[in-house]
Amino acid sequence: MSLTLSIVLYLCATVFYGRVLSHMLMIARSSAPMEHGRNLTPQAVAMGFLDVLLLRRLFNANKLLWPFELAFHVSFGVIVFAHLRYVYYYVPSAVALAQPVGGVASYLLCGSLGFIVIYRLLTWSSKYATAYNMFLTVVLLIVSVTGFLMAKQYRIDVAGARTFMLSALSFKSAEAPGGWLFAVHFSCAMLFIASIPTHIFTAPFTALEADRRESNLTGLLHEEGNGK
Amino acid sequence: MKREMENKTRKSCLSRSQRLEVDACTLCGECLNVCPVQEVTGNKSISPPEKLRMYREIISATKGLKARVLGEKPLDKRLLEDFVRAVYECTTCGACTEHCTVGIYTQRLWPALRAEMVRRGLGPMGAQAQMPQYVRETGNIYGKPASERFSTWFPDDAKVAERADVAYYAGCTGCYESTPMVWGDTVVLSAIGEPFTMLPPEEEVCCGFPLFITGQFDMLEDLVKRLVSAYAARGVRTLVCSCPCCVNIMARDWPALYGSELPFSIRHITQIVSGALADGRLKITRPLNERVIYHDPCYLSRGVGITEEPRRVLRAIPGIELLEFDRNREKSRCCGAGGAARKVFHENAIAMGRLAIDEASEKGAERLILSCPACHAKVREAASGYNDKLKITDIMELLGLMIKERL
């Protein structure tokens, strides 16, 4: 089991890094250099903050889905941060402090993902939906539910899990915590990492660029700047 | 933009920010709520996220990790055909941008994807492919004689100066398909009293927008340099235009194509007219006791942010009651005439036009005011035999008729 899980980790990490590198190469080979924020106004910065951290554009588009998507993104971020204790030999104090917050976030994560899955299923025919998005959401739901169960109900050997992760990351062998719950949780998490949606890395840049563009829109034909 | 053009010979027609946008789409589908093509076709296979999903599949098959590791496979012909159709059936209205949960700038992304298809020899579609030849031969996208560019509509009593600070660019669609608009433009400019100049019909060539929007970038630089040099030679400091598409490419892309800042400013005609009405150079005293509804053209509202000037112009007419569509200003609903799709996907355009007509009638409007020659041409066509009660008028045509006391 431990060997299998280690192989899953290495394969998924390889696919992840391969995809990231491939996308970075494609972007680097694109035609014009990225338009760095010329005319980056305070308004654009403020809107960018709202867009990236509070999903302002989603709020404008779908007020029903927004609170659950926000809860998902925030809780997911907190839990990923809290999980850093499994990859550091000496756990930073910030990560240690995040553990109780992560415990609360696990409720939010399961609840918000559950709503999102049900919403997508109920609106499958009327709205646009892709099997890929549904796959990712379901995988995340499995990860969150198994993680919740391990944290609250079927407590696993946390020290053992940490030893397994640190060993696997340094290409050493170690025993994985027993039980199917950890195996499913770990495998699905690795599967998500291998299939990670690209918007996680690119959407913040696109939203900031949109804010910059919108803050400059009225100036396009209303200032002397576009001609003498 | 110039770099986009140069990249016809490079590997990609997309800029880096556009490449990021392709990856940024979450495929959430919220944009379908506002897509006008979706509204009339219900065909999700040509929806905005589906276009991006298909393009990602194309990229993945040719340049993705699998292709790099296992070798590039021939692209699925059906996928390519579906993608080309999806990209060209779009009106490029940009409503999806307004509703996009990450802010993808689709009004610029779709033309770049079209350019990619042209680069691969898969685009453009139908009559769009004849545009470069027509422009080369006649200076306009319709292939009609340059000598007829102004002759069918230019007011007899309008005077054009040889040199002036202000120049008026009429545009191909206005001159050949929506003459009431350009007639109104020149009547109003003459009434304002400031001298204005125009290029001779053989020199006033296409601004480049139809070629840009269909992904055919080859001639753009040449067209722009000819026009800018010609206006600069006449001492022009402000170039005025009433076609939103022309204004769009002039403001956004001409500087890059020209290679430096333009020697003149670009202004939409409603900016000039609203200013003249405000400072008394132009007065409308005849009342028009009608309920009118104003349709914001996509490339004027979302494209360059002009939404209030046309409303100020209309409110300056005594007696008018100005109504609003439910979706107005930056959120306006496309009338179907955009994206160079109105002739290739004629049924879609007619259906979208009729939705605008229906809403105008439901609101109780007696007159629908448009501010775009393509909208004007197509919506009038959609109304013919469908709704002959609603009067459809261009905004400058309306002012021109009032100045000439024909209304």
Side-chain angles (χ1 to χ4, degrees):
Chain A
M1 172 72 89
S2 304
L3 181 62
T4 306
L5 292 179
S6 298
I7 291 170
V8 166
L9 168 66
Y10 300 140
L11 275 174
C12 293
T14 304
V15 170
F16 169 76
Y17 285 116
R19 285 181 67 213
V20 167
L21 191 62
S22 175
H23 278 261
M24 283 172 65
L25 278 173
M26 280 193 272
I27 289 165
R29 290 179 77 193
S30 295
S31 55
M34 195 182 304
E35 290 178 45
H36 290 289
R38 62 171 196 274
N39 301 331
L40 194 64
T41 62
Q43 180 199 358
V45 172
M47 288 296 129
F49 175 83
L50 290 173
D51 278 342
V52 176
L53 294 181
L54 296 178
L55 307 181
R56 177 184 66 103
R57 289 176 189 272
L58 175 60
F59 176 79
N60 291 337
N62 190 328
K63 289 178 174 50
L64 172 62
L65 198 55
W66 173 77
F68 296 95
E69 287 282 354
L70 184 63
F72 157 66
H73 282 83
V74 170
S75 57
F76 186 72
V78 168
I79 288 170
V80 165
F81 185 74
H83 270 59
L84 289 177
R85 70 169 168 165
Y86 294 105
V87 301
Y88 276 102
Y89 278 106
Y90 301 105
V91 180
S93 53
V95 175
L97 286 170
Q99 298 311 306
V101 183
V104 173
S106 61
Y107 289 93
L108 269 180
L109 184 64
C110 290
S112 58
L113 272 171
F115 177 87
I116 291 166
V117 167
I118 293 168
Y119 179 89
R120 292 279 179 226
L121 284 170
L122 290 176
T123 59
W124 186 279
S125 55
S126 57
K127 281 192 164 233
Y128 179 82
T130 60
Y132 171 69
N133 268 11
M134 205 58 189
F135 160 75
L136 285 176
T137 318
V138 168
V139 164
L140 277 175
L141 184 61
I142 294 171
V143 171
S144 67
V145 168
T146 50
F148 180 85
L149 288 173
M150 284 192 291
K152 309 292 181 197
Q153 192 75 18
Y154 307 102
R155 292 187 178 270
I156 63 155
D157 175 14
V158 173
R162 199 159 165 273
T163 304
F164 167 72
M165 274 308 299
L166 290 169
S167 302
L169 289 171
S170 46
F171 301 103
K172 294 178 190 148
S173 65
E175 201 61 30
W180 63 270
L181 212 52
F182 178 80
V184 170
H185 179 80
F186 185 81
S187 303
C188 285
M190 291 302 108
L191 185 58
F192 175 76
I193 286 172
S195 318
I196 202 163
T198 49
H199 78 259
I200 286 177
F201 306 108
T202 54
F205 292 106
T206 298
L208 287 168
E209 174 62 23
D211 295 320
R212 186 192 68 82
R213 182 181 68 242
E214 286 161 11
S215 71
N216 282 285
L217 181 62
T218 51
L220 199 60
L221 293 187
H222 291 93
E223 285 172 356
E224 294 300 319
N226 64 329
K228 286 191 188 152
Chain B
M1 175 64 193
K2 188 174 180 179
R3 285 194 180 92
E4 285 168 13
M5 245 194 46
E6 284 168 353
N7 278 300
K8 195 170 177 301
T9 55
R10 287 195 205 175
K11 303 283 182 173
S12 168
C13 292
L14 272 64
S15 67
R16 278 184 200 156
S17 55
Q18 288 171 333
R19 190 62 193 82
L20 284 172
E21 285 177 340
V22 172
D23 279 347
C25 179
T26 64
L27 307 179
C28 67
E30 295 298 333
C31 49
L32 272 80
N33 295 331
V34 294
C35 175
V37 179
Q38 286 301 299
E39 205 168 351
V40 300
T41 66
N43 184 358
K44 290 180 191 164
S45 68
I46 54 173
S47 62
E50 186 62 9
K51 288 199 274 277
L52 290 175
R53 192 201 63 76
M54 281 195 278
Y55 187 67
R56 284 181 191 172
E57 221 177 288
I58 291 168
I59 292 298
S60 177
T62 52
K63 296 176 192 167
L65 179 63
K66 222 176 6 179
R68 287 181 197 278
V69 171
L70 302 173
E72 195 177 324
K73 283 192 184 152
L75 281 170
D76 180 69
K77 192 164 175 267
R78 181 70 193 272
L79 169 67
L80 275 176
E81 282 171 1
D82 288 347
F83 177 69
V84 171
R85 186 189 169 91
V87 156
Y88 277 96
E89 196 162 349
C90 174
T91 63
T92 69
C93 72
C96 38
T97 295
E98 290 301 310
H99 225 62
C100 179
T101 54
V102 298
I104 295 169
Y105 193 17
T106 54
Q107 247 185 6
R108 305 287 291 191
L109 182 58
W110 302 144
L113 292 180
R114 289 176 176 184
E116 273 289 310
M117 294 302 104
V118 169
R119 190 176 67 83
R120 291 168 187 261
L122 298 168
M125 291 190 77
Q128 297 166 356
Q130 294 172 307
M131 284 183 192
Q133 183 195 343
Y134 284 164
V135 171
R136 210 172 285 120
E137 291 171 358
T138 63
N140 65 80
I141 55 167
Y142 300 105
K144 295 188 178 168
S147 56
E148 290 173 15
R149 193 175 179 93
F150 301 155
S151 61
T152 61
W153 57 267
F154 199 84
D156 293 330
D157 53 352
K159 293 205 172 12
V160 174
E162 191 61 33
R163 290 175 65 90
D165 282 353
V166 174
Y168 170 63
Y169 176 86
C172 303
T173 303
C175 289
Y176 293 105
E177 301 223 326
S178 186
T179 53
M181 180 188 92
V182 288
W183 172 86
D185 290 345
T186 41
V187 166
V188 174
L189 283 173
S190 300
I192 289 174
E194 305 280 341
F196 67 94
T197 186
M198 289 176 69
L199 295 178
E202 294 76 20
E203 283 185 42
E204 194 195 91
V205 294
C206 177
C207 67
F209 182 84
L211 299 172
F212 165 71
I213 203 72
T214 52
Q216 303 175 95
F217 291 179
D218 280 351
M219 298 174 63
L220 293 178
E221 190 175 331
D222 175 61
L223 289 169
V224 171
K225 284 184 170 164
R226 281 166 66 180
L227 286 165
V228 173
S229 304
Y231 285 119
R234 288 169 179 263
V236 171
R237 296 176 62 80
T238 304
L239 180 58
V240 178
C241 185
S242 63
C243 173
C245 300
C246 300
V247 165
N248 206 289
I249 196 170
M250 289 172 183
R252 289 194 178 277
D253 302 301
W254 273 23
L257 287 163
Y258 184 61
S260 69
E261 235 185 87
L262 299 180
F264 43 76
S265 301
I266 307 295
R267 289 290 180 265
H268 186 256
I269 195 160
T270 54
Q271 293 178 279
I272 304 297
V273 174
S274 68
L277 286 165
D279 62 24
R281 283 175 294 146
L282 183 67
K283 288 185 176 63
I284 307 291
T285 52
R286 276 169 72 84
L288 179 68
N289 298 313
E290 282 186 6
R291 288 187 305 277
V292 308
I293 192 164
Y294 174 67
H295 177 265
D296 291 277
C298 307
Y299 275 91
L300 194 62
S301 57
R302 286 187 280 276
V304 291
I306 299 285
T307 55
E308 299 315 311
E309 287 87 340
R311 288 171 168 81
R312 281 185 218 137
V313 168
L314 291 170
R315 287 197 189 101
I317 301 172
I320 261 188
E321 182 185 346
L322 181 58
L323 307 174
E324 296 281 1
F325 284 102
D326 288 342
R327 285 168 53 187
N328 57 70
R329 293 174 172 81
E330 290 85 10
K331 298 200 183 314
S332 81
R333 183 164 71 184
C334 180
C335 70
R342 62 189 165 109
K343 299 198 177 187
V344 180
F345 297 98
H346 165 79
E347 291 80 16
N348 284 359
I350 294 293
M352 285 183 251
R354 287 180 177 169
L355 287 176
I357 290 165
D358 289 345
E359 188 179 348
S361 295
E362 280 162 23
K363 296 278 181 204
E366 295 164 80
R367 191 182 295 267
L368 169 58
I369 304 292
L370 301 166
S371 188
C372 166
C375 300
H376 186 253
K378 205 65 187 177
V379 173
R380 284 170 70 94
E381 187 183 344
S384 174
Y386 179 75
N387 182 333
D388 295 315
K389 277 182 66 179
L390 181 71
K391 290 169 253 185
I392 297 169
T393 314
D394 175 78
I395 188 171
M396 288 300 136
E397 178 193 3
L398 180 70
L399 249 63
L401 289 169
M402 299 202 70
I403 288 168
K404 293 287 188 187
E405 296 183 0
R406 292 184 198 170
L407 211 62

